[in-house]
Amino acid sequence: MTNLPFRTHYLFPAALASLLFLGSLRIVLDNLQNSHHTCAFFRPLSGGYRVIRPPIRVSDEETIKDGCNIFEGKWVQGNGSYPLYTEESCPLLVKQVTCQKNGRPDSSYQKWKWQPDGCNLPRFNALKLLEILRDKRLMFVGDSVQRSMFDSMVCLVQSVIPEGKKSLRRDPPRKIFRAEEYNASIEFYWAPFLVESISDHATNHTVMKRLVRLDSISNHSKQWEGVDILVYESYVWWMYKPTINVTYGDLGHVEEYNVTIAYKIAMETWGKWIEASINSQSQKVFFMTMSPTHLWSWEWKNGDDGNCFGESEPIQRPYWGTGSNLDIMGIVKDVLGKLRVDVRLLNITQLSEYRKDGHASVYGERKGKLLTKVQRSDPKNYADCIHWCLPGIPDTWNEILYAVLLQDYRVS
């Protein structure tokens, strides 16, 4: 065989190595192109490379117009675009909210869309939200109503995440949903009064006499530290009676306070922690207003002595129920208005007031068990007109939250 020049002996291995490198690079680029992620490219670093993802695109149609109040509007038919998911497509839903599986005969409550006056809410896009949440924690804090908002958000995003790349675990008083490829978590934290109380156990919290510590929040707040997006809510548990037992300073001294006075002090305690602990440059804080109840149908139907049971359509006229306390609403606005840290109000009360049809009614649970046939036949005493079916109203709350986060993302 003819002897090749010395340099030629080394050209074949070099060429082979180049071909192998280019082939590997092509495979990586093809995988990225076929991935459901936003297209990415590589930037060299000392010791390796890191992925640089271009910003997600936010179109003009996804932008809330200046001056548009997204909390004012009306409910319209979704024309086949709702619900955004189904009970079957979200196996993570709990029995308390799966009204269809629990026997509700109609599904019309799932098909309404909130239409703000003068603008449109952007269509919920799970991939865009997950990109916004990349390397972040979103935490919902509050009671079982707030937990339904967490459940809704999980259902809205989980279908676009491949099996094996998502998980849901219970770590009382938290529930944690993880989207592994995004290094993102959606969490719920049980704190029905925001401040500490004897009802803080995540599952065993039903007590005959409610007692809150109006000046103490540290057991809860250590779980909130460093969370990127916090969404708070606290209302229904305060409304059990006109008065509530409290301690303030001295744990051995229990007093009975008017609920509105106690609520104001509790909110001020929470507000002090917000001011001392939240970095507005890196964290976002939201506060949800009251989730309304529909306990007395005479409020929207003259002479009727029922409740939300059997209702199948929204209220289509101006309406404010007696279950929504204007004093509490005023306290929330007053406390938030005085904070030196930006906490944005998600005013879902009025838009939810119209939805007398969206409650679990007799198609939910009581004390962890589905209602019996005998109990379902007595809706006057057993209908749940506090909690909501899913899919349902809490999905709209999350659409609004998504719209605000998308707006923030665009202008950042």
Side-chain angles (χ1 to χ4, degrees), residues 6-69:
F6 177 79
R7 286 181 299 173
T8 309
H9 278 291
Y10 292 93
L11 288 176
F12 291 113
L16 181 60
S18 298
L19 287 172
L20 289 172
F21 172 77
L22 289 172
S24 299
L25 182 60
R26 178 58 183 270
I27 291 172
V28 170
L29 292 174
D30 285 346
N31 285 339
L32 282 171
Q33 186 177 7
N34 293 329
S35 170
H36 64 265
H37 291 309
T38 303
C39 185
F41 58 92
F42 296 104
R43 175 169 292 176
L45 293 173
S46 57
Y49 290 81
R50 70 184 176 94
V51 177
I52 305 298
R53 294 178 176 85
I56 60 175
R57 181 177 177 273
V58 182
S59 67
D60 291 339
E61 290 72 25
E62 295 174 301
T63 304
I64 302 170
K65 292 181 180 179
D66 291 342
C68 180
N69 185 346

Side-chain angles (χ1 to χ4, degrees), residues 64 122-123 125 127-128 145 183-184 208 223 245 271 282 296 327:
I64 302 170
R123 176 77 175 177
N125 187 311
L127 289 175
K128 287 188 178 183
V145 172
N183 188 33
M208 294 302 295
Q223 301 287 341
N245 292 322
S282 59
W296 305 284
D327 290 336

Side-chain angles (χ1 to χ4, degrees), residues 49-343:
Y49 290 81
R50 70 184 176 94
V51 177
I52 305 298
R53 294 178 176 85
I56 60 175
R57 181 177 177 273
V58 182
S59 67
D60 291 339
E61 290 72 25
E62 295 174 301
T63 304
I64 302 170
K65 292 181 180 179
D66 291 342
C68 180
N69 185 346
I70 56 177
F71 305 109
E72 293 182 358
K74 60 184 177 181
W75 291 95
V76 298
Q77 287 288 340
N79 295 324
S81 61
Y82 285 79
L84 299 174
Y85 60 90
T86 65
E87 292 180 9
E88 291 73 20
S89 69
C90 187
L92 303 177
L93 286 175
V94 297
K95 287 183 179 179
Q96 185 183 37
V97 299
T98 53
C99 300
Q100 293 285 293
K101 289 182 181 178
N102 300 340
R104 180 163 177 166
D106 69 301
S107 60
S108 57
Y109 64 92
Q110 300 179 349
K111 300 173 183 178
W112 294 91
K113 170 187 174 182
W114 176 247
Q115 179 60 60
D117 294 333
C119 65
N120 296 311
L121 286 177
R123 176 77 175 177
F124 188 91
N125 187 311
L127 289 175
K128 287 188 178 183
L129 178 66
L130 287 167
E131 199 61 58
I132 291 171
L133 295 182
R134 185 180 290 278
D135 300 321
K136 293 182 175 62
R137 296 170 64 193
L138 163 63
M139 181 182 286
F140 297 95
V141 180
D143 55 28
S144 54
V145 172
Q146 189 74 334
R147 185 172 60 218
S148 69
M149 191 173 180
F150 160 83
D151 291 334
S152 161
M153 184 63 88
V154 169
C155 287
L156 286 167
V157 304
Q158 64 87 31
S159 63
V160 302
I161 304 172
E163 291 300 326
K165 301 295 185 181
K166 56 188 173 184
S167 62
L168 177 66
R169 67 183 176 94
R170 290 164 177 80
D171 183 19
R174 288 193 300 160
K175 291 177 71 176
I176 305 164
F177 177 81
R178 288 277 305 163
E180 301 298 340
E181 289 184 297
Y182 294 86
N183 188 33
S185 68
I186 300 170
E187 307 175 31
F188 168 73
Y189 182 87
W190 173 263
F193 295 99
L194 297 187
V195 292
E196 294 165 23
S197 74
I198 61 172
S199 299
D200 288 341
H201 192 281
T203 55
N204 186 21
H205 44 244
T206 302
V207 294
M208 294 302 295
K209 287 190 176 182
R210 300 181 179 185
L211 174 66
V212 296
R213 296 179 61 183
L214 294 181
D215 59 340
S216 184
I217 203 169
S218 58
N219 283 343
H220 295 325
S221 60
K222 62 186 178 184
Q223 301 287 341
W224 308 337
E225 293 174 358
V227 175
D228 301 279
I229 305 170
L230 286 155
V231 185
Y232 291 95
E233 176 271 343
S234 181
Y235 175 65
V236 171
W237 279 66
W238 293 92
M239 295 294 107
Y240 184 60
K241 290 181 179 180
T243 59
I244 191 169
N245 292 322
V246 308
T247 64
Y248 191 85
D250 182 1
L251 290 178
H253 181 61
V254 178
E255 292 187 68
E256 191 174 68
Y257 275 36
N258 177 279
V259 159
T260 54
I261 294 173
Y263 188 89
K264 185 175 189 296
I265 297 171
M267 282 292 295
E268 289 171 344
T269 298
W270 168 84
K272 289 175 183 176
W273 180 85
I274 292 290
E275 287 190 327
S277 306
I278 292 297
N279 180 352
S280 294
Q281 299 300 313
S282 59
Q283 295 171 283
K284 301 180 189 296
V285 183
F286 299 89
F287 198 95
M288 293 271 297
T289 60
M290 304 171 295
S291 173
T293 61
H294 293 89
L295 302 173
W296 305 284
S297 58
W298 55 262
E299 293 184 338
W300 62 83
K301 191 185 303 179
N302 290 336
D304 195 274
D305 65 348
N307 49 38
C308 68
F309 172 74
E311 297 292 345
S312 59
E313 291 187 353
I315 298 169
Q316 299 288 3
R317 58 176 175 77
Y319 172 79
W320 185 273
T322 57
S324 296
N325 190 304
L326 287 171
D327 290 336
I328 295 294
M329 182 76 87
I331 289 169
V332 170
K333 291 182 177 179
D334 181 59
V335 171
L336 298 192
K338 292 179 180 178
L339 293 178
R340 295 188 299 271
V341 174
D342 183 26
V343 178

